[in-house]
Amino acid sequence: MKRICLHFRFFVTPVLLILLTMVIGCKKSDKKEGASLQMKSPNIIIIYADDLGYGDLSSYGATEISTPNMDRLVNEGIKFTNGYASSATCTPSRYALLTGVYPWRNENAKILPGTAPLLIDTTQMTVAKLLKQNGYKTGIVGKWHLGLGNGQVNWNSHITPGPNEVGFDYSYIMAATQDRVPTVYIQNGRVENLDPNDPIEVNYDKNYDGQPTGKDSPELLKMNWHHGHNNTIVNGIPRIGFMKGGDSAKWIDEEMAPQFLEKAKNFVTTNKDQPFFLYYALQQPHVPRTPAPEFIGKSGMGPRGDVILEADWCIGQLYATLEEQGLLENTLIIFTSDNGPVLNDGYYDDAVEKIGNHTPSGLLRGGKYSLFEAGTRVPFATYWKGTITPQISEALVSQLDFLSSIASLVGDDYKGKDSENFMDVFLGKKNIGRENLILEATSRTALRSNDWILIPPFKGAPIAEQVNIELGNNLKYQLYNLTEDISQTNNLADTNPEKLHEMIKIYESIRGTVNSPTETLELK
């Protein structure tokens, strides 16, 4: 019996060794396949600032303010010097970023009130929807401003359609902007902390009886309005639009940045074991500028400078969370802004008086609302620790191209209507971007083509007096060589007719012949 057992042991051992080798081999193969899958599915975070100018970062030349956390993404990633939002205002840029479609193709893609219906069709492809289809957990935290519902929203029940219906598994948002009602947080389609016995009512045309406004009750204000922002008062700040009820749900403005930050960090930590996409839409430095107490006076430039420092801190905190969770080496971070800067955008908050030597637009001409460069050329960086080599790129890139580029990154062959695949440029493998890009500002459009920019004739005031920004309106064509004249001081339309005609031809081949009148700029 002993011999038989011994023989059996010697017989089984080689078999077990073979099986064990196969199992180990399979595990190694599984690990290799898992690692390969992980590389194909990096986490993706888009950090989207609001009204942050080309010259507002120390990494883009600012000398009066220091933005170390933004600078880390810029200096340790790819700093794009020709990176563009699609538009010089917020709603159109956000539409283009998510859908890969020029906003001027959608006549409703304008600055929306808080009661506007959802701008994105629920059948339309978005960055979030594409990534969700490719196994990602998707979330948005922060400013939405792309409409909700069908235009007849009941704020006291489930609000739909919204972000969750266009690809986001999780949404924690403000409906429009910080200066517009309703002044509440909405989580996955429901107003947070709402008391059903104190229902919300919102109207953009008519006030509710007994509700004080900034125009009629200035003694209730802690921030005075300059233009437009003189309706319902919330937290001592007059807003755009009228609101009644919902007192327990109203946000505290000074707590907004840390509130959104906490939700962004929670999304990351909750989903760290699977590929995730986070669209982190900061509210800074849009008005009203309401820094948390620890940032008040920190910049020396008033609330606008303070909230830029606050936004920089938020980015640093999110970065630290990624680092703590061991996610940096497998996370692509895209950092940019929805449009250019503005100082006085509706409130007296010392933005103009305390600007000092700071130049929010850098060397660029114009600002928010403008067809000149500062309206749409914005800070723009991609960061991926260990994958992207730090560099400066002069490639012409646009937020419009995120959809097709991200599709390529995750192995999807989807192509957006106007979105092009420049993922190799975003990863620093190539340095040649777009040849042509249509830029938009409040119904008006221009053409960036290689080193040149064409601004067609538009009627209207050359300067928006209330915000003191050149709009780019002129009854004649404007043609600038941006390599030689980044500040757009020398109009070459008369002296270079050959180039002018070439640019007009390109513009019309993309945009068509535009004869529509210039819409009045409504600053509110």
Side-chain angles (χ1 to χ4, degrees):
M1 178 66 72
K2 191 173 183 179
R3 274 186 197 171
I4 293 173
C5 289
L6 191 62
H7 178 73
F8 181 73
R9 285 169 63 193
F10 278 102
F11 174 75
V12 171
T13 302
V15 175
L16 287 173
L17 284 171
I18 293 170
L19 290 172
L20 189 59
T21 303
M22 289 175 64
V23 170
I24 292 171
C26 286
K27 285 188 176 294
K28 285 183 178 178
S29 176
D30 288 346
K31 284 184 178 179
K32 186 176 180 181
E33 186 177 333
S36 176
L37 180 62
Q38 188 183 41
M39 288 307 294
K40 288 181 181 177
S41 305
N43 306 313
I44 300 169
I45 298 176
I46 296 176
I47 301 175
Y48 210 39
D50 195 354
D51 295 356
L52 189 69
Y54 192 84
D56 275 327
L57 279 65
S58 37
S59 50
Y60 274 81
T63 57
E64 307 302 304
I65 194 169
S66 177
T67 52
N69 296 296
M70 297 178 189
D71 293 350
R72 175 166 47 197
L73 301 181
V74 173
N75 294 331
E76 297 180 19
I78 302 175
K79 173 186 176 181
F80 289 97
T81 58
N82 286 286
Y84 286 84
S86 74
S87 308
T89 51
C90 45
T91 295
S93 290
R94 291 160 201 273
Y95 177 82
L97 181 152
L98 288 175
T99 67
V101 176
Y102 276 124
W104 45 263
R105 295 193 190 278
N106 185 335
E107 62 180 10
N108 296 316
K110 302 169 184 176
I111 303 174
L112 296 180
T115 52
L118 181 64
L119 182 62
I120 301 172
D121 193 292
T122 55
T123 64
Q124 201 167 352
M125 183 59 77
T126 66
V127 173
K129 186 180 291 186
L130 179 137
L131 288 172
K132 185 175 181 177
Q133 291 175 358
N134 282 275
Y136 278 69
K137 192 73 171 180
T138 58
I140 172 175
V141 172
K143 176 178 172 177
W144 177 238
H145 208 187
L146 287 165
L148 294 169
N150 59 8
Q152 301 295 324
V153 172
N154 179 356
W155 302 98
N156 309 290
S157 62
H158 186 237
I159 302 164
T160 184
N164 299 90
E165 286 68 44
V166 294
F168 290 100
D169 295 306
Y170 173 76
S171 64
Y172 190 86
I173 62 169
M174 65 168 102
T177 56
Q178 193 179 341
D179 57 350
R180 285 172 170 79
V181 297
T183 52
V184 295
Y185 298 117
I186 302 169
Q187 181 167 255
N188 294 324
R190 294 192 178 275
V191 174
E192 188 177 53
N193 298 324
L194 179 63
D195 180 354
N197 296 314
D198 184 25
I200 294 173
E201 296 181 61
V202 176
N203 193 307
Y204 270 70
D205 298 317
K206 185 179 179 182
N207 193 19
Y208 300 96
D209 290 342
Q211 293 297 305
T213 67
K215 188 174 182 179
D216 299 328
S217 304
E219 72 280 2
L220 300 178
L221 303 181
K222 67 180 181 183
M223 183 182 294
N224 291 318
W225 61 281
H226 179 268
H227 59 268
H229 300 70
N230 57 17
N231 299 151
T232 291
I233 302 169
V234 180
N235 303 331
I237 301 172
R239 316 284 169 153
I240 301 171
F242 304 100
M243 176 178 172
K244 179 182 178 183
D247 285 345
S248 63
K250 291 175 181 175
W251 64 51
I252 298 173
D253 293 84
E254 291 78 8
E255 296 177 2
M256 180 173 284
Q259 180 79 358
F260 281 144
L261 171 63
E262 195 59 33
K263 297 298 180 180
K265 289 165 60 177
N266 286 343
F267 180 83
V268 166
T269 55
T270 301
N271 298 289
K272 63 182 180 180
D273 296 325
Q274 64 186 104
F276 64 78
F277 165 56
L278 173 62
Y279 174 37
Y280 182 30
L282 304 170
Q283 88 281 4
Q284 307 108 318
H286 194 284
V287 296
R289 294 144 184 162
T290 53
E294 58 267 35
F295 290 97
I296 294 175
K298 193 172 181 180
S299 70
M301 291 191 289
R304 184 177 187 273
D306 295 345
V307 297
I308 291 175
L309 296 184
E310 181 183 55
D312 185 73
W313 175 82
C314 289
I315 291 170
Q317 292 298 300
L318 181 60
Y319 184 95
T321 299
L322 294 168
E323 191 170 39
E324 290 164 5
Q325 299 297 330
L327 297 172
L328 280 177
E329 287 78 7
N330 195 44
T331 302
L332 169 63
I333 302 174
I334 302 171
F335 168 64
T336 187
S337 176
D338 63 348
N339 49 249
V342 57
L343 295 180
N344 180 344
D345 204 20
Y347 296 99
Y348 288 104
D349 65 358
D350 286 336
V352 175
E353 291 79 3
K354 294 186 177 181
I355 192 63
N357 294 322
H358 180 60
T359 52
S361 297
L363 295 174
L364 306 180
R365 186 176 179 181
K368 183 178 180 179
Y369 310 114
S370 177
L371 274 178
F372 287 124
E373 282 292 277
T376 50
R377 195 194 290 206
V378 290
F380 198 126
T382 55
Y383 174 95
W384 186 348
K385 187 175 181 179
T387 295
I388 287 178
T389 302
Q391 59 193 277
I392 297 174
S393 175
E394 296 181 357
L396 176 57
V397 292
S398 170
Q399 297 161 13
L400 187 69
D401 298 321
F402 289 167
L403 179 57
S404 293
S405 301
I406 288 172
S408 169
L409 180 66
V410 300
D412 195 302
D413 60 2
Y414 182 83
K415 305 291 184 186
K417 182 178 180 65
D418 299 305
S419 182
E420 298 183 30
N421 175 16
F422 288 111
M423 185 47 70
D424 282 347
V425 178
F426 291 136
L427 295 181
K429 297 176 181 178
K430 293 183 180 178
N431 196 34
I432 299 176
R434 277 180 168 264
E435 289 186 11
N436 302 307
L437 177 65
I438 297 291
L439 301 168
E440 186 264 346
T442 58
S443 79
R444 301 159 298 136
T445 49
L447 169 68
R448 171 76 197 262
S449 182
N450 294 315
D451 296 334
W452 294 80
I453 191 155
L454 170 77
I455 303 177
F458 290 107
K459 296 179 181 179
I463 296 177
E465 298 289 350
Q466 290 175 317
V467 293
N468 193 30
I469 290 175
E470 289 186 285
L471 298 175
N473 294 331
N474 195 308
L475 296 179
K476 296 182 178 181
Y477 278 102
Q478 298 177 74
L479 178 69
Y480 302 97
N481 184 317
L482 296 175
T483 301
E484 300 173 355
D485 181 23
I486 193 172
S487 300
Q488 295 176 283
T489 59
N490 187 18
N491 182 4
L492 302 175
D494 290 335
T495 58
N496 197 337
E498 186 177 338
K499 188 66 181 182
L500 175 64
H501 293 143
E502 176 190 330
M503 293 285 285
I504 293 172
K505 188 174 181 180
I506 296 171
Y507 174 83
E508 292 184 347
S509 70
I510 302 171
R511 183 70 173 96
T513 303
V514 183
N515 295 315
S516 58
T518 303
E519 296 182 9
T520 302
L521 178 62
E522 188 175 11
L523 297 172
K524 70 172 190 176

